[in-house]
Amino acid sequence: YLPAILEPRLLDWLDSAIDDTDIVEAGFIWRGSLKGTSHQQRSIQLYGQFANGEVNYDPGWPKLSELSGSITLNDTQLTGNIDSARAGEGSEQVHVEKASVATLPGALLAVKAELRSPLNTAQHILLNSPLAPQLAALADWQVEGRTQATLDLTIPLSKNRQGEDYRVSANIEAGQMQLSSFEPVIFSEMEGVIAYNNSAGLHSPGMRGVLWGQALNATIATHEGRLQLDASGLLDLSLAPAWQSLFTDNVSGTTNYTATFVAPNKTSPATLSLLSSLQGIAIDLPSPLHKPADQAWPLKTSLQFRANDLLLNAQTDGLKAQLSIANRQLAAGIITLGHSDKDSDKDSDKNNAPLPAFKGLLIKGQMSEFDLDAWLAALQAGTKPDDSIADFDTRAVVAIDH
C-alpha cells in the first residue's frame, strides 16, 4: 500500500525501483479524518520489514539484491535502513554491509552505503556509473586488492538531474596498480584512502606503497579534469626497467626522487616527470657515464606514454638524451654530450626535437676526452645474445679534445 499523498516522482520511483521482495512484517497507522478531501487533517505512518529484496534505485548504479532491512513512511517522508545486501550482478557483485535510503526536499533521494569489495570490481562499478566521465583516468590502470568503501549519493528523482551530488571514499588494502600502457610501472602494497566528490574530483591526502622494491609516499589530486599523482621515495635504478643490460648490470645503489604522473586526456598523452640528485647511485662505466656514488648528478626526466611508443627525455650535467622505446626496446634516440645548464634552459621547449630518420641511435656533441678501448670492452661485456642492441644502428658525430 503506497499512499497517494506521496510526491508523484517518489511514487514513480517506488513503483519502478522495488522488484520482488518478501514482506516479513508490516504495520500501518492512520490518524485523522476519513473524508477524502481532508488531507491536512490526517497523518499516515507505514512500517515494513523485508527480506530477499531487489531494489534498482538508480539505473546508473548497481541494483541491490538479497536485501534485508526495514522501511518507514511518515506522511511524505520515506526512510529505509538496509542491514545487508549485495550490489551488482554475477562476478561483479560486492557485499553491502549496511545502507540507508531517505527522501530529501526537492525530489531528491539520499543513498548512503558501506561496502566491501575486490578493488577491480569497485573500479568496474565506478567506470560504469554516472561518475565515469570524471573517473576516466582509472581505465588506464589494472588494479588488484581489496577495498572498504563508503558511498554518499544524492540522486535526483527528476529528469533534469538537478541537485545531483556524489561522494565516494575507498580505503585501499594490499592494493596493486599497474599502468596498462607501460607494464613495468607497478605500484604494489598500496595502502591509504582515495576519495571523490564533485568539487575536488578524485583525490587522496596520502597513499603508501612500493615501486620497484622501494617504499614510496604519494598524493592524488585532479587539476582541470586531469588526474595527477605526486610521489616521493627511494629509487633503485638497477631494479628499474631498462632496454639494455649494459646499464642495469653497471648501476648500483639507491637515491631519493620526486615524481609527478599526469593522466592522459583527449589531446595529451600520459606523462611522468622525475627529479633526482642521483646521489647514492654509482655507475661503473667509462667517462662520460662514470659516476661515484657520493657524487650528485641532478637528473631531470620526463616520459610521454604515446600511442605507439614511450618518449623519454632526460638531462643531467654534461648529457642530454631523447629516446623512443617501442615494445620495451629502443627504437630511435639522440644523445647529446657536453650539454650545459645554459643549453638546457635554451632547449627547455624543444623536448620533442626530431629523432633520427634511421632506426638507431645518434650520439653527438663535444667531450674533453674519450677512451675508445674502455668503451669497447664495456660494450662487449654488457652485450648478451638476446639484447636487441646487437644489430642496432649507432652513429656518432662527436668532437673529442683528447
Side-chain angles (χ1 to χ4, degrees):
Y1 176 76
L2 295 175
I5 61 171
L6 292 179
E7 208 274 342
R9 286 168 292 190
L10 176 58
L11 276 172
D12 291 341
W13 177 81
L14 289 168
D15 188 50
S16 61
I18 300 177
D19 294 330
D20 292 340
T21 301
D22 295 337
I23 305 297
V24 178
E25 183 181 1
F28 174 75
I29 298 176
W30 176 297
R31 294 188 183 92
S33 174
L34 296 177
K35 293 181 179 179
T37 57
S38 304
H39 298 298
Q40 303 301 320
Q41 299 177 24
R42 71 170 68 103
S43 173
I44 298 173
Q45 283 82 41
L46 181 68
Y47 165 81
Q49 187 174 348
F50 49 86
N52 304 316
E54 290 189 0
V55 176
N56 190 11
Y57 57 92
D58 185 87
W61 295 92
K63 74 174 184 179
L64 300 178
S65 60
E66 301 178 31
L67 182 149
S68 64
S70 62
I71 188 171
T72 58
L73 175 68
N74 187 4
D75 289 332
T76 60
Q77 299 301 310
L78 177 74
T79 59
N81 291 301
I82 298 169
D83 300 324
S84 66
R86 291 195 174 276
E89 297 180 292
S91 61
E92 301 300 333
Q93 274 197 343
V94 302
H95 178 68
V96 180
E97 295 185 331
K98 64 178 180 178
S100 65
V101 179
T103 52
L104 298 174
L108 297 172
L109 189 69
V111 178
K112 298 183 179 182
E114 296 181 7
L115 24 113
R116 180 165 38 88
S117 161
L119 195 54
N120 57 352
T121 300
Q123 178 195 38
H124 175 83
I125 290 173
L126 291 173
L127 289 176
N128 289 276
S129 76
L131 299 181
Q134 294 88 344
L135 300 178
L138 292 178
D140 299 315
W141 295 87
Q142 300 173 29
V143 299
E144 296 178 9
R146 297 201 62 80
T147 181
Q148 296 273 353
T150 60
L151 303 182
D152 187 353
L153 315 177
T154 302
I155 301 173
L157 299 177
S158 58
K159 293 182 180 179
N160 62 14
R161 310 296 291 180
Q162 187 173 358
E164 190 172 37
D165 186 63
Y166 300 117
R167 297 174 183 270
V168 180
S169 179
N171 186 26
I172 309 300
E173 303 170 355
Q176 177 173 299
M177 300 173 62
Q178 181 175 10
L179 189 60
S180 301
S181 58
F182 191 57
E183 293 181 356
V185 177
I186 302 176
F187 298 98
S188 60
E189 300 179 34
M190 298 295 291
E191 305 279 346
V193 175
I194 298 179
Y196 172 88
N197 61 52
N198 288 5
S199 57
L202 193 67
H203 61 280
S204 172
M207 296 283 295
R208 300 176 306 280
V210 173
L211 175 65
W212 299 326
Q214 300 294 327
L216 66 84
N217 294 292
T219 61
I220 298 173
T222 301
H223 299 292
E224 298 180 352
R226 295 186 74 181
L227 183 70
Q228 178 173 315
L229 186 150
D230 294 303
S232 62
L234 287 174
L235 181 65
D236 185 343
L237 287 179
S238 68
L239 299 178
W243 54 270
Q244 220 281 327
S245 59
L246 173 69
F247 296 100
T248 51
D249 291 348
N250 293 283
V251 175
S252 60
T254 59
T255 188
N256 291 302
Y257 73 92
T258 60
T260 298
F261 173 82
V262 180
N265 60 13
K266 292 181 180 179
T267 58
S268 303
T271 61
L272 176 65
S273 303
L274 185 142
L275 298 174
S276 175
S277 69
L278 292 188
Q279 197 155 16
I281 294 290
I283 304 176
D284 188 19
L285 287 171
S287 177
L289 293 184
H290 180 75
K291 178 189 174 302
D294 59 354
Q295 183 179 356
W297 264 19
L299 173 69
K300 180 180 180 181
T301 303
S302 69
L303 296 89
Q304 290 187 30
F305 300 90
R306 306 190 300 187
N308 299 313
D309 69 348
L310 172 69
L311 182 64
L312 181 149
N313 285 279
Q315 60 187 46
T316 186
D317 251 356
L319 187 143
K320 178 182 177 183
Q322 183 178 353
L323 307 174
S324 170
I325 301 171
N327 298 321
R328 299 181 66 177
Q329 297 179 358
L330 181 61
I334 298 175
I335 295 178
T336 304
L337 304 175
H339 191 74
S340 67
D341 289 339
K342 184 183 291 186
D343 295 329
S344 133
D345 293 338
K346 192 185 300 181
D347 295 340
S348 60
D349 295 326
K350 298 181 181 178
N351 284 341
N352 294 316
L355 290 166
F358 62 94
K359 182 182 178 181
L361 180 66
L362 175 63
I363 303 173
K364 62 179 184 176
Q366 183 273 337
M367 55 192 305
S368 58
E369 62 180 43
F370 183 77
D371 190 334
L372 179 60
D373 291 336
W375 268 106
L376 288 174
L379 288 170
Q380 186 175 9
T383 301
K384 297 179 180 178
D386 58 345
D387 278 343
S388 60
I389 198 78
D391 299 321
F392 203 68
D393 188 358
T394 302
R395 307 178 189 181
V397 183
V398 180
I400 301 173
D401 297 340
H402 178 66

